[in-house]
Structure formats: C-alpha cells, structure tokens
Amino acid sequence: CRAVDTRPAYGGNGPIQGGTHQDFPISGAGSCGVLASAAAYSMNVSVVPNGSLAYLTVWPAGQSQPLVSTLNSLDGRIKANAAIIPAGASGEISVYATNTTNVIVDVNGYFAPVTGSTLAFYPLPPCRVADTRDSSYPPGLGPPYLTGHQERQFPILNATTCNIPSSGVAAYSLNFSVVPHAPLGYMTVWPTGGSRPTVSTLNDIPGQTIANAAIVVAGASGNVSVYPTSDTDLIIDINGYFAAAGQGGLSLYGVQPCRVIDTRHVGSGQPFTGTLSPPVDVVDTGCGTSNLAQAYVFNASVVPTGELGYLTLWPDGATQPVVSTLNALDGSISSNMAIVPSTNGKVDAYASGLTQLILDISSYFAP
C-alpha cells in the first residue's frame, strides 16, 4: 500500500528540499490499515530526484538523525530500497535528503507489539528459490524469463531444498534480483490471488542487474506473483519466513539506526575483494544489539572501485551460499536491505570485485 508520495500530481506537497527532513505519518493514517500500535514498519522507499542525490536517510521520528544512509542516487536515477524502520513519535518516520527529491513509501507490512497471536520470524540459511536463467530449478521456478506487462506466479514452496515448511507460512523474507533485457521501468511483487497493487518493488530504468529485498505475504498455494514492465530474468533468494509463534520463532527488536562497519575507516581503509577478514562483529559494535540476536536487519551499501558483480552476506561459520545480496555491475554506490541470520554475533561478506562495504543496522530478531 502506498503510504507516502510527495509528488503533487499524486496528492503530495512537493519534494523534500535538499538539506532538510520531513516527518510522515505511517500508522493510524491513510488507507493502508497499519495499526496505531505498530512497533515497526516494513517498507519500500523510492526516490525520484531532481538531480544528483548523495544520500537519503530514514529513521524513527522524534530521535536524533543517525549517521546512516538508506539509499544513494548520485546519478539522479529513480531508485528503491527496502527498509524495516521502528515507529517513531506518533507513529511517524523522518526522512532526510541531501538534495531535493520526491519520496515514495510503500508499506508491505508492520510489526505489532509481541503477543501470543503475533507472527514470529524463522530465519533460514540464505537459499536460492528461483532463477529464470537456469533450467535445473523445479517446475515454475526456472525458465522462461518474465515477459513485459505479463503477470507470472512463482510457487515458492516448490523450492524444497530451501527447507521452507510446506504449510503454515504467512509471509516470506525474499531478495529479488533482476537481469533486464532492456530498461525496466518497474517490477511489482504481491501475494498470488490478490489484485496487483499500485506499488513498485524495484525500478531499473538503466537496465542494470540490481536487487531489492521484500517481505511478501504468501498467496494462494503459497505463491507470489510478479509483474515487470519489460522483459527480464528474475532471481529470488530467501532468508526466512513468518509463521505462528512456536519453537525457534523470533521477535523483532528495534534499535536506533547505527553504523556497524564502514571498511573505509577500518584498518588500512583499502577496498577488499573475496571474503572480508575478519568477519563483521555485530554484537560488539556498541549498536545496542543483544547477544541473543539470531538475525540482523541491515542496510548494506557498497562503494565499488569498478564493476562489482555481486556481494553476498551470510552467517559467520556457515558455508558461503549461492545467493547474492546486491549487485553493482555499473560500479555505482548501491544499497539493499538484508536480513542476515547469525549464530555467534558475526556475519561474513564476500565481494566479487574490489569494493568498500557499509552496514547500518535498524533492528534485530531474537527470542
């Protein structure tokens, strides 16, 4: 559901002026049905800049502006990034932009205060569910590529090797990567069986390989539907799911957005390639996470020195999975939300090319 659109043509009051911030009500307002008691929001934040946008930051209203970023658009392109943001004062969020830009916020869920009836999060080892380029995937999860202006259902539960329960799943935590055949205006994802919503999951007007995370409600038969405006291949990775509270289920705990690591200011400050060493020690960074945390909600940003095929984040101590967190083939500063499980308070990172890495945390999952 579209909660914020600053563009006057869509009922907004105009763009956020560079160097300023605005507060926006999310819960208890509009037609999105978000409870006023919501503790945090799952959203997709899109920018339509007037020119170069150094960065945009989203945080709970009423708190001091944190030294983190939600997305960057140095070349002025329309970009989107997923985010889980704790609810601020009066259920509002604050948005700061370094340069003048319109902002669109689409809400795909919220986290209510924990009760016996709220859903729990169950982390999974990052796993590839679908790849339309690869015929070895189960029925419905491989070729053909997606055709522009046509809907396609993806039977997520057919990915039996990903250990997703065959029943009882209410929503998935997914990462969508597109490999467009031409400029891709936007792609929308929603629960199969419902009407296609007037929102976007990602935008890719340059036609680059890019990724964006999304929490998607499980639709009919556990499927999700996808609609692209142009032909594109699609890759879907999963890192967890939401279901009724039970053994192993986790709840969300918000923290003031905080920078966990910026490799530009660690050690020699040189970019890395391959596996980052040492691993990212999240629990000891002073960002307010509990040592009971079993998954972290990051905004992952890369500052590549050239082409970066992909970056992957995964639990420290586990085998590197065949998934990607984000892509930056054009060498641009790129970001994506990542929910990364962890068993020891640390996470691992792998980069296919030289890059700096920034991880900002907004919340974590724990018993």
Side-chain angles (χ1 to χ4, degrees):
C1 173
R2 184 143 293 173
V4 175
D5 192 334
T6 62
R7 296 173 294 181
Y10 296 88
N13 294 321
I16 297 176
Q17 299 299 311
T20 70
H21 81 275
Q22 290 187 31
D23 295 342
F24 297 99
I26 302 296
S27 65
S31 59
C32 288
V34 181
L35 291 179
S37 59
Y41 313 115
S42 173
M43 60 181 62
N44 196 50
V45 182
S46 301
V47 292
V48 186
N50 288 14
S52 178
L53 173 64
Y55 67 89
L56 177 128
T57 298
V58 183
W59 73 97
Q63 296 183 5
S64 300
Q65 182 180 334
L67 297 175
V68 302
S69 66
T70 303
L71 59 78
N72 314 78
S73 183
L74 292 175
D75 58 3
R77 77 179 73 169
I78 298 171
K79 293 182 75 172
N81 196 17
I84 293 176
I85 304 295
S90 302
E92 297 185 345
I93 60 171
S94 294
V95 181
Y96 170 86
T98 57
N99 306 87
T100 300
T101 184
N102 278 296
V103 175
I104 302 164
V105 177
D106 297 325
V107 175
N108 54 43
Y110 62 90
F111 295 85
V114 177
T115 68
S117 61
T118 51
L119 297 176
F121 178 68
Y122 296 81
L124 291 172
C127 180
R128 184 142 291 176
V129 168
D131 189 339
T132 62
R133 305 169 301 177
D134 190 339
S135 60
S136 69
Y137 278 76
L141 300 176
Y145 60 80
L146 277 64
T147 302
H149 299 289
Q150 292 189 20
E151 299 178 5
R152 174 172 165 181
Q153 298 180 20
F154 282 85
I156 303 297
L157 298 180
N158 282 5
T160 54
T161 60
C162 289
N163 297 316
I164 310 167
S166 58
S167 63
V169 174
Y172 309 107
S173 176
L174 302 172
N175 196 50
F176 293 89
S177 302
V178 291
V179 186
H181 300 185
L184 174 61
Y186 68 89
M187 186 181 79
T188 297
V189 181
W190 72 99
T192 296
S195 300
R196 172 160 52 95
T198 310
V199 302
S200 62
T201 302
L202 58 78
N203 308 81
D204 193 10
I205 292 174
Q208 300 284 339
T209 300
I210 64 168
N212 200 20
I215 294 175
V216 186
V217 171
S221 301
N223 296 357
V224 300
S225 293
V226 179
Y227 172 90
T229 56
S230 305
D231 293 356
T232 184
D233 276 294
L234 178 65
I235 302 158
I236 305 175
D237 299 327
I238 191 169
N239 51 50
Y241 61 91
F242 294 86
Q247 185 175 2
L250 307 177
S251 299
L252 183 79
Y253 296 88
V255 298
Q256 184 169 9
C258 178
R259 183 143 292 176
V260 170
I261 190 173
D262 185 340
T263 59
R264 297 173 297 182
H265 305 300
V266 174
S268 66
Q270 296 299 309
F272 75 100
T273 186
T275 302
L276 180 65
S277 182
V280 181
D281 185 355
V282 183
V283 74
D284 293 320
T285 58
C287 283
T289 60
S290 166
N291 57 10
L292 299 177
Q294 296 181 23
Y296 302 110
V297 182
F298 295 121
N299 190 54
S301 300
V302 290
V303 186
T305 61
E307 179 180 299
L308 175 63
Y310 65 93
L311 173 103
T312 298
L313 300 173
W314 73 97
D316 178 54
T319 302
Q320 181 181 338
V322 185
V323 302
S324 63
T325 301
L326 58 78
N327 313 83
L329 287 169
D330 61 353
S332 64
I333 298 174
S334 301
S335 302
N336 194 14
M337 186 185 80
I339 298 178
V340 186
S342 179
T343 59
N344 61 3
K346 301 177 181 179
V347 299
D348 287 332
Y350 174 88
S352 65
L354 275 172
T355 189
Q356 303 281 7
L357 172 65
I358 303 165
L359 293 181
D360 298 325
I361 191 169
S362 64
S363 49
Y364 62 90
F365 289 96

